[in-house]
Amino acid sequence: MWSSRGLAAREAKNWQKISRPPFTDGHPKITISTEFVMTETARERVAIIGTGLAGLTTAHLLQNDPKKRYAVTLLEQADSLSFDSASVAVKSHETGAVERVDLPMRASAGGYYANLNRMYHHLEVPMHPVRFLFVFAKALKQRGTEAGNCQDLSQSPSAAASAVPDGYFVHASNLHQLPPPRPSAYRTWRYLLEILYLIICHAWFRAACFLVRPHDESFAQYLERIWLPRRYTTHYILPLMSSVSTCTHDELLAFPASDLVNYNKFSYGQQHYTVCGGVKQVQSRLSRGIEDIRVRSRVLEVLPRSSGKVLIRWQDTVGAQEEVFDRAVLAVSPDVASRLFAPLKTTGLDKIPTTWVESSVLTNASRAHSLVDSDDRTSQGKVTCMHHAAVEVESASTQVITLRTQFSGLGGARSEALHTMPSGVVVSTCPLDGESAATQKRTLKTAGFRRTLRTVESRATVERIFRDGSGGTTDGWVNGENNVWLTGSWCWDGMVLLEGCVVSAMRVADEFGVEIPWRK
């Protein structure tokens, strides 16, 4: 971490080379080099607040500007860069294999995540396709999480999916397995009727996504307009899509209809991908070459100056600090951005709803696991990509995700996603209330993150902020005004997912005149 005084001294040394040979005539001989190089003093200084995927992508693009016009400073309040901060390395005591588990889960589908996947390809981030078996199940009060998340690793994924308690259907991603595994509680004739019902409803919904254009309406209003059967909505669409968005069913129904329709259109028939060894590889590649990274630095205020520059005040381990930058990029949630930068309070950004989401790593009851330091090569060896260990681990290429849905309760319908990883640990996201003490004992790690929600009203707010203000008059602050920009998963017209991080970072790069190497 660089202090203001240390940074100024470092810049001065870059501009002039001072040599002090042995004393001559009682005075040091000072030689100033005639060779000058372009450094941070000549470049525009850009502060990027937040080190999630949006902040790191923005920093990478500006830092690697072919014309070398920008010097990037990253400010992060946590102890490390945040994109990978919650991920863990888990070691199996039985096999000795170590798997990197991302919290939250980081999977992308081709089509919808077009820019994300192009960036990964450009960065040479190793990826592999993965197939999922989605198990739809009811969450009954007498069943704890432990009843539905412990896959017997001696079974095949299909057998494990069929054996999930209270499961009522198993869906194979991209229909890679036909017919789908039958839940053990269902008789054959009943399951065949359910499949026939789903074929009709699924074709109905898919046709509507491609043929019925969403209006300025919520997803709930769109579903009513296309007359989709309610049971198909409550038992299938909402559990699956709420797990993607990590929110409740009611919150998902308030999303703009265009979000869900476009997601289903562009991801239809596409393969899912995950990063080999976890997104730590993405984080390291994006941050490579950025020297001025200041962790444990909690930004307190972002103030525009009359000169056009931006003053940033923050708190670190030394105390209160402040520094002037040419530009600033806020890669944070909308509520935090509104709190840091006063002009945003007039935009309604602080009224965009957010929710707190928890994700936990649970050890499998049939196999012991422990957390290890993935950087400690002496204690546990190299982290293994379980997909490439498919010969030893049968479930590596096909993974089971159980969607346990609580159809009633004070908070409305909710679904918990239980993802059984190849090593046997289970990642629980949006856990339901009332879990047993046994489940708590099996928790290796729990992480929380702030999720920005979408509504028809918040979509309009975001559109006003990110509209092109170059023509005509504007009413209120727009992105880039006062030399302050916003970026993040919520800063685009789509689902609040990783694709939005990349798209919004690319927008900032465009406005800075920086070439985007992975763009077609």
Side-chain angles (χ1 to χ4, degrees):
M1 179 178 67
W2 297 96
S3 66
S4 301
R5 181 180 303 172
L7 184 61
R10 184 166 64 93
E11 292 172 350
K13 288 180 181 179
N14 285 335
W15 274 105
Q16 62 182 18
K17 184 184 294 182
I18 301 178
S19 61
R20 294 180 181 267
F23 283 85
T24 303
D25 298 328
H27 299 283
K29 181 181 179 180
I30 301 178
T31 302
I32 300 180
S33 173
T34 57
E35 263 184 50
F36 290 85
V37 293
M38 182 72 76
T39 66
E40 286 89 342
T41 306
R43 298 180 184 182
E44 286 194 51
R45 300 191 59 223
V46 181
I48 298 178
I49 302 167
T51 59
L53 182 61
L56 291 177
T57 303
T58 305
H60 175 82
L61 288 169
L62 301 185
Q63 180 71 24
N64 292 278
D65 173 30
K67 298 181 180 180
K68 305 296 182 183
R69 291 167 292 177
Y70 303 102
V72 173
T73 297
L74 281 172
L75 293 164
E76 171 58 51
Q77 68 175 354
D79 294 338
S80 61
L81 300 180
S82 66
F83 185 47
D84 179 66
S85 61
S87 302
V88 294
V90 179
K91 182 177 182 179
S92 169
H93 293 181
E94 181 179 343
T95 65
V98 177
E99 179 180 24
R100 187 75 179 178
V101 179
D102 289 330
L103 289 181
M105 176 186 174
R106 312 287 192 175
S108 59
Y112 192 80
Y113 290 86
N115 292 285
L116 176 74
N117 290 333
R118 288 180 194 140
M119 183 183 75
Y120 283 177
H121 179 73
H122 167 75
L123 296 173
E124 297 182 347
V125 173
M127 300 177 67
H128 59 253
V130 61
R131 295 173 174 177
F132 295 111
L133 288 176
F134 295 100
V135 182
F136 295 88
K138 297 178 181 179
L140 302 182
K141 290 184 179 181
Q142 63 268 29
R143 304 280 191 183
T145 299
E146 67 278 4
N149 69 352
C150 290
Q151 176 179 329
D152 184 351
L153 300 181
S154 64
Q155 295 179 313
S156 67
S158 297
S162 299
V164 171
D166 306 314
Y168 55 87
F169 193 77
V170 179
H171 168 64
S173 62
N174 294 330
L175 304 179
H176 68 265
Q177 184 173 339
L178 292 175
R182 176 174 59 86
S184 57
Y186 273 46
R187 294 185 178 181
T188 302
W189 65 269
R190 183 183 176 188
Y191 200 52
L192 291 176
L193 287 177
E194 188 72 8
I195 291 175
L196 179 60
Y197 169 78
L198 291 178
I199 289 175
I200 296 172
C201 293
H202 189 67
W204 187 339
F205 180 59
R206 286 294 182 188
C209 287
F210 283 93
L211 300 176
V212 182
R213 184 176 180 179
H215 297 159
D216 188 16
E217 59 190 342
S218 68
F219 188 46
Q221 293 169 328
Y222 181 81
L223 293 175
E224 290 182 3
R225 187 157 64 90
I226 64 174
W227 292 84
L228 196 67
R230 183 176 296 274
R231 180 175 176 272
Y232 177 70
T233 297
T234 58
H235 283 62
Y236 293 98
I237 291 183
L238 295 182
L240 181 60
M241 294 308 303
S242 67
S243 69
V244 172
S245 303
T246 57
C247 63
T248 67
H249 293 196
D250 288 344
E251 290 167 342
L252 183 69
L253 288 170
F255 275 37
S258 58
D259 285 13
L260 283 301
V261 170
N262 288 332
Y263 181 88
N264 281 277
K265 284 173 61 177
F266 290 110
S267 63
Y268 178 68
Q270 299 289 330
Q271 182 63 265
H272 292 86
Y273 297 92
T274 57
V275 175
C276 299
V279 297
K280 186 175 184 178
Q281 298 201 57
V282 179
Q283 178 174 282
S284 64
R285 283 166 168 79
L286 289 175
S287 60
R288 185 179 300 161
I290 303 175
E291 296 182 359
D292 196 3
I293 299 177
R294 311 180 189 184
V295 297
R296 305 184 190 92
S297 300
R298 185 172 66 90
V299 175
L300 305 174
E301 196 172 13
V302 177
L303 296 169
R305 303 292 292 268
S306 58
S307 61
K309 296 183 182 292
V310 183
L311 175 68
I312 296 181
R313 292 174 177 160
W314 74 92
Q315 183 83 25
D316 60 14
T317 55
V318 177
Q321 308 283 345
E322 66 177 38
E323 196 168 338
V324 175
F325 293 85
D326 296 294
R327 310 187 190 196
V329 179
L330 307 185
V332 294
S333 59
D335 54 328
V336 174
S338 180
R339 186 171 69 248
L340 297 180
F341 187 53
L344 288 175
K345 295 178 180 178
T346 63
T347 64
L349 203 63
D350 57 336
K351 295 181 175 60
I352 293 180
T354 62
T355 187
W356 185 253
V357 176
E358 287 190 351
S359 189
S360 301
V361 179
L362 310 176
T363 185
N364 195 299
S366 62
R367 178 177 289 183
H369 299 83
S370 60
L371 300 183
V372 295
D373 182 358
S374 60
D375 294 324
D376 185 0
R377 305 297 185 187
T378 60
S379 64
Q380 49 82 29
K382 187 177 181 180
V383 175
T384 302
C385 174
M386 302 302 286
H387 175 80
H388 293 120
V391 175
E392 293 81 13
V393 184
E394 183 182 356
S395 63
S397 59
T398 301
Q399 301 174 17
V400 177
I401 298 181
T402 302
L403 305 174
R404 296 176 62 245
T405 300
Q406 190 177 70
F407 288 102
S408 61
L410 296 177
R414 297 183 301 152
S415 294
E416 174 186 18
L418 298 158
H419 181 191
T420 303
M421 304 296 292
S423 63
V425 297
V426 177
V427 178
S428 168
T429 305
C430 297
L432 302 176
D433 294 335
E435 301 300 354
S436 67
T439 299
Q440 298 175 7
K441 289 181 180 179
R442 292 177 28 245
T443 301
L444 296 176
K445 180 177 180 178
T446 297
F449 55 96
R450 180 66 58 183
R451 164 68 79 176
T452 302
L453 301 174
R454 292 269 287 176
T455 64
V456 175
E457 294 75 19
S458 71
R459 181 193 183 198
T461 298
V462 171
E463 284 183 340
R464 285 195 301 270
I465 292 174
F466 290 95
R467 70 183 181 275
D468 181 8
S470 59
T473 59
T474 59
D475 53 344
W477 188 89
V478 295
N479 197 41
E481 191 174 346
N482 308 118
N483 274 330
V484 175
W485 280 261
L486 299 174
T487 185
S489 58
W490 58 275
C491 297
W492 76 313
D493 189 22
M495 299 279 283
V496 185
L497 300 171
L498 294 182
E499 179 70 5
C501 296
V502 179
V503 170
S504 60
M506 291 168 63
R507 180 195 291 125
V508 173
D510 283 336
E511 297 195 18
F512 282 41
V514 173
E515 176 185 343
I516 300 171
W518 59 80
R519 175 180 283 155
K520 284 187 177 180

